[in-house]
């Protein structure tokens, strides 16, 4: 899994977006190369793509999103996914998003500055609070932009002092209450 993730990260730093299914196929080819497995991983492409399409959110996500939505927060989902893959994921999520921004929209992947420039240009006026699990793909670029951030630190990692102060939660359960206490 680490080999796959490392190549996925590298491929997301390209100049333009590769359709995510193609990126998965390329990743699998590099895993075969790295592990000297012929085309064993590439042969598993249909199963890997089906697994991506079938991903469901953590159990705390939908109730927390609904709670935030019901409290009047505008929710904008930002994803490195394609629109087609995101549509499969949204079937498993509460219908609460005011906007969904994918790599198809931005023409690049997070953490590239252009992704966040696109988001800035399409955000409603007012305060923006960025909530994310992805440290390198979300928290670091949000830090550089000066956005208020909540890191959903499911892995209980220690954030570097360079990104402090940083609000941290182990999951989304307490986010709504935390936002209310900050007001």
């Amino acid at each position: 899994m680490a080999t796959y993730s490392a190549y996925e990260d590298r491929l997301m730093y390209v100049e333009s977006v590769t359709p995510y299914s193609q990126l998965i196929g390329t990743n699998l080819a590099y895993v075969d190369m790295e592990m000297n497995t012929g085309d064993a991983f590439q042969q598993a492409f249909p199963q890997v793509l089906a697994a991506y399409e079938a991903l469901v959110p953590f159990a705390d996500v939908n109730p927390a999103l609904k709670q935030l939505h019901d409290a009047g927060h505008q929710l904008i989902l930002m994803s490195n996914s394609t629109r087609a893959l995101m549509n499969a994921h949204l079937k498993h999520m509460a219908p609460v998003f005011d906007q969904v921004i994918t790599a198809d929209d931005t023409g690049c992947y997070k953490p590239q500055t252009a992704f966040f420039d696109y988001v800035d240009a399409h955000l409603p006026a007012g305060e923006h609070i960025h909530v994310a699990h992805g440290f390198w793909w979300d928290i670091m670029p949000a830090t550089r932009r000066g956005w208020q951030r909540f890191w959903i630190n499911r892995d209980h990692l220690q954030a570097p002092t360079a990104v402090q102060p940083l609000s941290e939660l182990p999951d989304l359960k307490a986010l709504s209450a935390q936002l209310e206490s900050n007001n």
Side-chain angles (χ1 to χ4, degrees):
M1 187 57 140
T3 302
Y4 180 89
S5 293
Y7 279 107
E8 181 180 49
D9 292 348
R10 292 173 193 164
L11 291 170
M12 286 187 177
Y13 281 95
V14 297
E15 302 229 354
S16 61
V17 162
T18 301
Y20 205 79
S21 60
Q22 183 180 336
L23 185 129
I24 291 168
T26 303
N27 283 350
L28 294 172
Y30 287 136
V31 171
D32 278 330
M33 176 191 75
E34 187 87 17
M35 299 183 79
N36 198 24
T37 52
D39 66 352
F41 285 94
Q42 293 169 76
Q43 292 297 318
F45 174 77
Q47 294 88 346
V48 173
L49 184 58
Y52 266 94
E53 291 171 346
L55 287 173
V56 296
F58 289 97
D60 59 296
V61 171
N62 280 327
L65 291 174
K66 185 162 177 12
Q67 188 177 22
L68 291 165
H69 182 264
D70 291 349
H73 296 283
Q74 287 190 325
L75 303 177
I76 299 168
L77 188 143
M78 299 166 47
S79 176
N80 278 342
S81 182
T82 60
R83 181 65 57 183
L85 192 52
M86 182 52 60
N87 287 340
H89 294 161
L90 288 171
K91 291 176 185 175
H92 303 286
M93 299 182 78
V96 296
F97 295 106
D98 296 285
Q99 192 173 357
V100 175
I101 299 172
T102 70
D104 286 345
D105 300 312
T106 65
C108 61
Y109 295 110
K110 298 182 291 177
Q112 292 182 29
T113 302
F115 192 106
F116 290 85
D117 290 343
Y118 181 96
V119 171
D120 267 338
H122 291 84
L123 282 176
E127 186 176 342
H128 170 70
I129 301 169
H130 194 74
V131 180
H133 172 259
F135 187 82
W136 300 109
W137 302 271
D138 287 277
I139 298 302
M140 289 302 293
T143 300
R144 287 191 295 273
R145 294 187 109 62
W147 292 351
Q148 183 180 350
R149 295 138 6 259
F150 275 90
W151 182 27
I152 307 306
N153 186 0
R154 294 182 188 276
D155 302 317
H156 310 287
L157 301 174
Q158 179 66 42
T161 56
V163 298
Q164 301 294 341
L166 172 67
S167 299
E168 237 178 273
L169 295 169
D171 55 42
L172 285 175
K173 291 177 196 167
L175 180 59
S176 187
Q178 186 72 37
L179 291 174
E180 294 306 316
S181 71
N182 287 358
N183 288 334

